[in-house]
């Protein structure tokens, strides 16, 4: 299982409504009758709150959430039912040899952490029954100030020796790359991108947002005596780049989507 940050479900859960919009928009593009869906897998399910919404969408389906974070899966257990279960697992190692055919695979805000993500797509498609659906959403905001400031600061001393490599991430595939990769696997593909303009409440809201996601590997790589200084300086730069207004702080956030149906 790959080395990954220790995720904090509480921090990640801040701004849950804003984080949930892309998930809802992704699932809405899966055009399948509810009674046709019997097995659903959510790869990278996090704390399970979004996965739980699938119970109503597919009321006769058995749904499994998988995540590499024990903390996230522990939090997700509060949503478990007789139709919804959660398991610790590595997305890169799924599906296993005994995995039964799946009707719908959802992977939301997960594959961006895996540089070789396009290499995983053939295995995901093979796990689908004929006519099954694969739905992917990843952030595409690697060039946003929230990330460029993080890389710049993490590359300066005294932080660089600990954090410089933790701030780097492979470029996200665009819609065209998903179309090419998934059509090659015999799928009909709908891929697009959207930039959400989230209006976030609270003090230094963008810092609070990225502490739960993109900045977490960097913050965790730093010794305790440096982490507070880094967070203070990073927060000040973010506050300048994303000024707080009377109505909140606007965070433009680009996301990339691909929904593919395996040909029958």
């Amino acid at each position: 299982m790959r080395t990954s940050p220790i995720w904090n479900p509480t921090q990640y859960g801040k701004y849950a409504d804003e984080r949930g919009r892309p998930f809802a928009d992704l699932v809405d593009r899966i055009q399948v009758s509810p009674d046709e869906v019997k097995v659903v897998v959510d790869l990278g399910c996090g704390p399970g709150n979004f996965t739980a919404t699938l119970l109503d969408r597919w009321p006769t389906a058995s749904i499994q959430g998988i995540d590499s974070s024990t903390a996230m899966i522990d939090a997700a257990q509060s949503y478990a039912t007789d139709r919804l279960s959660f398991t610790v697992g590595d997305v890169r190692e799924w599906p296993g040899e005994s995995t039964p055919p799946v009707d719908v695979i959802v992977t939301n805000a997960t594959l961006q952490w895996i540089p070789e993500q396009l290499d995983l797509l053939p295995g995901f498609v093979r796990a689908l029954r004929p006519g099954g659906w694969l739905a992917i959403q990843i952030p595409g905001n690697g060039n946003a100030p929230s990330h460029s400031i993080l890389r710049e600061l993490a590359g300066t001393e005294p932080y660089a020796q600990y954090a410089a490599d933790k701030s780097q991430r492979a470029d996200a595939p665009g819609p065209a790359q998903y179309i090419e990769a998934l059509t090659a696997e015999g799928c009909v593909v709908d891929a697009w991108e959207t930039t959400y303009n989230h209006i976030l409440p609270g003090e230094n809201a963008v810092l609070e947002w990225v502490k739960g996601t993109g900045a977490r590997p960097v913050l965790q790589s730093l010794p305790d005596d440096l982490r507070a200084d880094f967070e203070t300086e990073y927060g000040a730069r973010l506050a300048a780049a994303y000024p707080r207004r009377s109505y909140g702080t606007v965070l433009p956030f680009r996301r990339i989507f691909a929904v593919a149906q395996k040909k029958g």
Side-chain angles (χ1 to χ4, degrees):
M1 188 173 297
R2 76 184 188 277
T3 301
S4 60
I6 300 173
W7 297 106
N8 184 320
T10 301
Q11 185 71 40
Y12 183 80
K14 292 184 177 182
Y15 309 116
D17 288 346
E18 289 81 4
R19 295 192 195 278
R21 273 189 66 190
F23 184 89
D25 290 345
L26 176 69
V27 173
D28 279 348
R29 291 288 187 102
I30 303 172
Q31 302 298 313
V32 59
S33 298
D35 58 358
E36 295 179 11
V37 178
K38 303 304 180 186
V39 180
V40 178
V41 176
D42 184 1
L43 297 174
C45 63
N49 51 323
F50 302 148
T51 316
T53 65
L54 303 179
L55 289 168
D56 290 335
R57 183 172 184 87
W58 294 303
T60 63
S62 173
I63 302 169
Q64 182 183 27
I66 299 172
D67 201 283
S68 63
S69 167
T70 301
M72 287 293 196
I73 291 298
D74 286 346
Q77 298 300 345
S78 65
Y79 296 99
T81 70
D82 59 340
R83 291 199 295 115
L84 176 59
S85 62
F86 296 96
T87 306
V88 175
D90 191 332
V91 168
R92 298 179 307 170
E93 298 173 357
W94 190 94
E97 293 183 1
S98 60
T99 300
V102 178
D103 297 294
V104 175
I105 301 168
V106 177
T107 178
N108 179 70
T110 297
L111 296 184
Q112 74 274 9
W113 296 106
I114 305 174
E116 68 276 18
Q117 62 158 295
L118 293 178
D119 295 336
L120 302 181
L121 300 184
F124 294 168
V125 174
R126 284 195 298 271
L128 293 171
R129 66 162 178 81
W133 295 78
L134 169 63
I136 299 166
Q137 184 275 124
I138 61 169
N141 63 334
N143 294 322
S146 57
H147 288 62
S148 60
I149 293 170
L150 181 70
R151 289 191 294 269
E152 179 182 352
L153 186 57
T156 63
E157 295 300 342
Y159 312 118
Q161 61 179 309
Y162 305 102
D165 62 331
K166 300 297 184 182
S167 66
Q168 303 302 316
R169 193 182 305 169
D171 291 339
Q177 289 173 275
Y178 279 122
I179 291 171
E180 183 173 357
L182 289 167
T183 54
E185 298 303 318
C187 294
V188 177
V189 187
D190 178 17
W192 71 99
E193 63 179 73
T194 296
T195 297
Y196 297 87
N197 283 277
H198 299 303
I199 302 175
L200 306 180
E203 185 70 27
N204 211 339
V206 177
L207 175 63
E208 291 302 308
W209 177 288
V210 296
K211 280 168 60 177
T213 50
R216 196 159 185 83
V218 170
L219 293 173
Q220 288 190 337
S221 72
L222 294 168
D224 291 345
D225 60 339
L226 290 180
R227 187 179 301 117
D229 291 342
F230 183 95
E231 187 172 318
T232 297
E233 186 170 357
Y234 182 42
R237 295 190 188 188
L238 288 177
Y242 299 92
R244 186 181 184 183
R245 308 297 187 187
S246 60
Y247 49 81
T249 300
V250 178
L251 172 62
F253 202 116
R254 175 177 175 253
R255 293 187 182 268
I256 299 160
F257 300 79
V259 173
Q261 185 179 25
K262 183 176 181 177
K263 293 179 182 178

